C-alpha cells in the first residue's frame, strides 16, 4: 500500500453547473461533497477501496467538519483539492483540506472521521491505517 498516497493526495476536478448557485458560484454545501470525493479517491489511489472497508463491517463517518471560505469558485473552474491526514487514532482520523484555483486558496477545512460498526458503535480502524500512524510518526492513541 503506497503510504504517501494514503497520507497526502491531490484531487483535481472541474466545477459542474449543478454545483453552483444563482450567481454561478459553488454553493457552500458542495464543498462537503468535494472533501468526501477526495477522501474516497485518496483511499483508492493508496490501494484501499472504501467499499472493501464497508464490506469488512466498518463505516467511516464524519463526526466534525470545519470549513473556512476564502474566495469564490465558479462554474467551469478547474480546482485542485489537497487532502492530508493529520492524525490517526484507534477509531478516528483527522484530515486537512485546501482547495485551490490556480494559486488562489478557495477554501480550507478540517474533519474528524470516526470508524464505527453497522450498529453505530466505535470500532477500531483497520490495521492498515494504524500501521501508517506508527510507521510515519503521526499522533496515535
Amino acid at each position: 500500500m503506497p503510504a504517501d498516497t494514503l497520507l497526502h493526495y491531490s484531487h483535481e476536478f472541474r466545477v459542474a453547473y449543478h454545483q453552483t448557485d444563482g450567481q454561478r458560484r459553488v454553493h457552500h454545501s458542495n464543498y462537503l461533497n468535494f472533501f468526501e470525493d477526495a477522501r474516497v479517491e485518496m483511499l483508492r489511489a493508496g490501494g484501499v477501496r472504501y467499499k472493501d472497508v464497508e464490506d469488512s463491517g466498518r463505516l467511516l463517518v464524519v463526526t466534525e467538519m470545519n470549513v473556512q471560505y476564502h474566495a469564490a469558485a465558479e462554474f467551469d473552474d478547474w480546482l485542485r483539492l489537497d487532502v492530508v491526514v493529520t492524525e490517526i487514532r484507534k477509531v478516528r482520523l483527522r484530515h486537512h483540506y485546501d482547495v485551490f484555483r490556480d494559486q488562489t486558496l478557495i477554501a480550507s477545512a478540517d474533519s474528524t472521521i470516526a470508524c464505527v460498526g453497522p450498529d453505530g458503535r466505535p470500532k477500531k480502524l483497520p490495521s492498515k491505517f494504524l500501521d501508517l500512524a506508527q510507521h510515519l510518526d503521526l499522533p496515535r492513541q
Side-chain angles (χ1 to χ4, degrees), residues 125-137:
L125 283 164
S127 60
K128 296 174 190 177
F129 294 96
L130 298 174
D131 292 346
L132 281 174
Q134 187 175 34
H135 177 70
L136 297 171
D137 261 353

Side-chain angles (χ1 to χ4, degrees), residues 8 31 36-37 42 44 49 51 85 102 128 141:
H8 309 277
Y31 286 89
E36 183 161 339
D37 290 346
M42 176 188 224
R44 186 185 324 278
R49 292 182 340 145
K51 184 179 185 307
V85 174
D102 299 319
K128 296 174 190 177
Q141 201 172 38

Side-chain angles (χ1 to χ4, degrees), residues 2 7 20 28 32 44 61 65 78 83 88 96 108 117 120 126 138:
L7 296 172
T20 63
H28 67 275
L32 301 179
R44 186 185 324 278
V61 298
M65 181 67 73
W78 185 253
V83 57
I88 299 174
H96 177 77
S108 55
L138 285 172

Side-chain angles (χ1 to χ4, degrees), residues 99-127:
V99 181
F100 295 93
R101 180 186 55 246
D102 299 319
Q103 299 303 314
T104 301
L105 180 62
I106 302 296
S108 55
D110 293 285
S111 67
T112 302
I113 311 297
C115 184
V116 299
D119 60 359
R121 301 181 88 158
K123 194 165 186 175
K124 196 173 185 180
L125 283 164
S127 60

Side-chain angles (χ1 to χ4, degrees), residues 70-85:
H70 307 285
E74 299 181 353
F75 167 62
D76 213 35
D77 280 351
W78 185 253
L79 303 179
R80 185 184 85 240
L81 194 161
D82 296 333
V83 57
V84 177
V85 174

Side-chain angles (χ1 to χ4, degrees), residues 37-55:
D37 290 346
R39 284 193 311 273
V40 169
E41 292 306 318
M42 176 188 224
L43 290 174
R44 186 185 324 278
V48 177
R49 292 182 340 145
Y50 182 66
K51 184 179 185 307
D52 294 338
V53 173
E54 284 188 345
D55 289 348

